[in-house]
Amino acid sequence: MDTSRRCGVPQDSGLGILVRMPTSRPRRWRALLAGLSLAALVASTAPAFGAADPGGQQPDAQTSDAVGTADSTAARRISCRRGWISLTFDDGPDPVRTARLVRILTELDVPATFFMVGQRVQASPETVRLVARHGFQVANHSYRHQDMRTQTLAGVRLTLRNTQRALVKAGVTPTHLMRPPYGSINRRIEQTIRDSGYVPVLWTVDSADWAGGNARQIADRILARLHPNGTNIVLQHDGVTNSPASIGAVRRVVEVARDRGYCFTDLTRRGTSDVPPPTARVTSLPAREGTHASVRIRLSHPASGPASVRVRATGGSAGAGDFEALTRTVRFAAGENEKTVQLAVTPDEVPEADEQFAVELDQAEGLVLASQLVTVGIRDARKPPSVAVAPAVVREPATRQWALAKVRVWLGRSSGNDVTVTLQSSPGTAGSSDFALRTRTVTIPAGATEVWASFPVAKDRRHEGRERFEVRITSAENAVVARGRAWVTILP
């Protein structure tokens, strides 16, 4: 048995385009992406596309299913974290099956594209209008569903033209999308299709509904063959013997796929899934000198195709020698939604305050920039210095009303940042009549190592021995408290 014809795929004529399906257990065949050139397909190592219609088996005499389109923007209101699905139905229209399919799709608010056979359009123009009236896309599937590789190029042009005329005569405005019967195409046919003003569209997920199976089996077949983190063009039929089961599978496909995080969308005029470009947001993490700063670019949803953005590190309070002067194009492959760029931060021996530089995003391709600038902080390589307060001695004033006890606040080493310290005095053996309770805030400038804080000591009319009060550090900014308490001794 000619297995390739049984599966609706003509034998390879030596162009290296089509692959026969084995007669043993079926495999998951990956289809040609819609709109891809055949030259790209030949270069690809991916398996050939799946079968379209049952080879040698003519569709039912009645025209295939009628489709009702849904608003594709509804799919865009959810996250679409797993990817996108475009439903397509071949071989219609059929006044009964298509009408049922239109009702289901409309109820589910799902778009779809119907590739219609010219003869069936002529036989059931009211069904064609039903499909278009519900907003679904109508496309060309040839006039008699004949393998184009068996036709002359003039015959290819004729079948396209006759189908177009039938659709227009039925009262609809068809798209310029076209699916060759059985997916049978080569370079010459593809070029003829394009020269005739059409875009050839194949598929990535073959439901194999024409080969048999009930609704549950067909639905599970489709769900198992979806490619996550990308786009999927699903092939089903509304004009073959098993179309009732395939139409019955639609509800399960839609509900399960949506639960998994897929969105449903129409085809574009290029024959690709109509996926809105992702939105890119940029964030950053600060870094210490001698390490790497991280700039993260995250997309709102995975890219459906190649996308890129240029990343440039620009100036700020940090000088050109403090960070890597980077200009790089970051590229996202289909299915990717996050990239991290590492930028080297240069170490130095100079104590300095925290600095920053800017990273700018521009020249976006295939995505939209939600933010174009992010600030990246650079922390000094050294750890914060330790701060301490030293004991002090002061003599009680003999003639004046007040004397100042000078308390030394010092750092273990100099810092590149200003260090701000708050101190507070509290009673010890000396009471509130012996000194003034005070809260002092002092700043040790960047590069310095000490500062003095003054606390008033009162003249005492009574003769007393030595007394003391406490000074403690209550807070420190840009430093770690190593010794936070000290006594101030008052000599008589």
Side-chain angles (χ1 to χ4, degrees), residues 10-18 32 37-39 41-42 49 147-151 153 156 180 183-194 200 202:
Q11 293 187 12
D12 188 357
S13 61
L15 294 175
I17 298 172
L18 303 177
L32 284 172
S37 67
L38 294 178
L41 174 64
V42 173
F49 54 79
D147 186 340
M148 286 184 166
R149 290 176 61 172
T150 67
Q151 296 178 290
L153 297 184
V156 171
S184 179
I185 193 171
N186 58 29
R187 291 187 185 87
R188 293 173 65 245
I189 295 171
E190 180 196 20
Q191 192 59 52
T192 300
I193 292 171
R194 293 188 183 278
L202 296 178

Side-chain angles (χ1 to χ4, degrees), residues 358-369:
V359 172
E360 182 180 7
L361 271 60
D362 60 9
Q363 296 186 6
E365 297 287 344
L367 53 84
V368 177
L369 294 178

Side-chain angles (χ1 to χ4, degrees), residues 185-254:
I185 193 171
N186 58 29
R187 291 187 185 87
R188 293 173 65 245
I189 295 171
E190 180 196 20
Q191 192 59 52
T192 300
I193 292 171
R194 293 188 183 278
D195 290 345
S196 299
Y198 298 92
V199 177
V201 179
L202 296 178
W203 59 90
T204 62
V205 177
D206 185 0
S207 67
D209 54 358
W210 52 266
N214 57 35
R216 178 64 177 259
Q217 290 170 332
I218 294 171
D220 290 346
R221 200 180 295 157
I222 294 171
L223 294 166
R225 296 177 183 182
L226 293 175
H227 309 297
N229 302 321
T231 57
N232 299 268
I233 299 177
V234 177
L235 169 67
Q236 291 180 259
H237 296 82
D238 60 348
V240 298
T241 303
N242 200 39
S243 286
S246 189
I247 294 169
V250 170
R251 187 177 300 278
R252 174 171 171 79
V253 169
V254 172

Side-chain angles (χ1 to χ4, degrees), residues 467-490:
E467 298 175 295
R468 65 180 187 175
F469 64 92
E470 186 182 53
V471 173
R472 59 187 178 90
I473 297 175
T474 58
S475 67
E477 184 178 339
N478 295 326
V480 177
V481 177
R483 189 170 68 196
R485 296 174 182 269
W487 290 104
V488 176
T489 301
I490 303 174

Side-chain angles (χ1 to χ4, degrees), residues 52-64:
D53 303 314
Q57 174 185 339
Q58 294 299 323
D60 295 348
Q62 293 177 320
T63 45
S64 205

Side-chain angles (χ1 to χ4, degrees), residues 2-326:
D2 184 345
T3 57
S4 62
R5 173 59 72 184
R6 177 178 62 82
C7 297
V9 181
Q11 293 187 12
D12 188 357
S13 61
L15 294 175
I17 298 172
L18 303 177
V19 180
R20 296 185 183 182
M21 184 177 287
T23 56
S24 60
R25 193 171 55 184
R27 295 175 55 189
R28 296 181 183 177
W29 294 84
R30 295 191 65 179
L32 284 172
L33 278 173
L36 287 181
S37 67
L38 294 178
L41 174 64
V42 173
S44 173
T45 58
F49 54 79
D53 303 314
Q57 174 185 339
Q58 294 299 323
D60 295 348
Q62 293 177 320
T63 45
S64 205
D65 318 3
V67 181
T69 191
D71 181 8
S72 62
T73 59
R76 300 177 185 178
R77 291 196 288 265
I78 59 177
S79 67
C80 311
R81 64 187 183 279
R82 290 298 298 277
W84 301 81
I85 299 172
S86 296
L87 296 180
T88 66
F89 296 88
D90 287 10
D91 295 359
D94 177 273
V96 176
R97 297 167 181 171
T98 303
R100 177 189 171 208
L101 180 55
V102 166
R103 289 194 300 270
I104 293 172
L105 293 172
T106 302
E107 178 185 342
L108 294 171
D109 194 23
V110 173
T113 302
F114 290 81
F115 290 91
M116 295 187 175
V117 177
Q119 281 185 326
R120 295 186 170 184
V121 170
Q122 281 189 325
S124 187
E126 67 282 358
T127 308
V128 181
R129 292 191 290 272
L130 174 69
V131 172
R133 190 165 61 248
H134 282 77
F136 296 103
Q137 295 187 132
V138 175
N140 195 314
H141 195 39
S142 83
Y143 190 77
R144 290 188 173 87
H145 202 275
Q146 184 179 353
D147 186 340
M148 286 184 166
R149 290 176 61 172
T150 67
Q151 296 178 290
T152 64
L153 297 184
V156 171
R157 288 189 289 269
L158 181 62
T159 191
L160 294 173
R161 185 165 58 249
N162 287 343
T163 305
Q164 176 76 5
R165 288 174 177 171
L167 289 168
V168 172
K169 187 177 179 180
V172 302
T173 303
T175 69
H176 291 284
L177 304 179
M178 188 275 156
R179 176 168 286 162
Y182 311 106
S184 179
I185 193 171
N186 58 29
R187 291 187 185 87
R188 293 173 65 245
I189 295 171
E190 180 196 20
Q191 192 59 52
T192 300
I193 292 171
R194 293 188 183 278
D195 290 345
S196 299
Y198 298 92
V199 177
V201 179
L202 296 178
W203 59 90
T204 62
V205 177
D206 185 0
S207 67
D209 54 358
W210 52 266
N214 57 35
R216 178 64 177 259
Q217 290 170 332
I218 294 171
D220 290 346
R221 200 180 295 157
I222 294 171
L223 294 166
R225 296 177 183 182
L226 293 175
H227 309 297
N229 302 321
T231 57
N232 299 268
I233 299 177
V234 177
L235 169 67
Q236 291 180 259
H237 296 82
D238 60 348
V240 298
T241 303
N242 200 39
S243 286
S246 189
I247 294 169
V250 170
R251 187 177 300 278
R252 174 171 171 79
V253 169
V254 172
E255 291 175 351
V256 173
R258 280 175 169 167
D259 286 344
R260 293 179 181 177
Y262 288 94
C263 291
F264 289 82
T265 186
D266 259 323
L267 294 178
T268 69
R269 65 182 61 187
R270 300 184 305 276
T272 57
S273 293
D274 185 14
V275 178
T279 300
R281 298 184 183 278
V282 58
T283 57
S284 69
L285 293 175
R288 290 193 179 277
E289 294 175 344
T291 63
H292 285 80
S294 295
V295 174
R296 185 175 66 179
I297 305 168
R298 175 174 286 179
L299 305 184
S300 57
H301 57 263
S304 61
S308 64
V309 63
R310 188 175 69 169
V311 178
R312 294 189 304 141
T314 60
S317 60
D322 294 322
F323 60 92
E324 179 182 1
L326 174 74

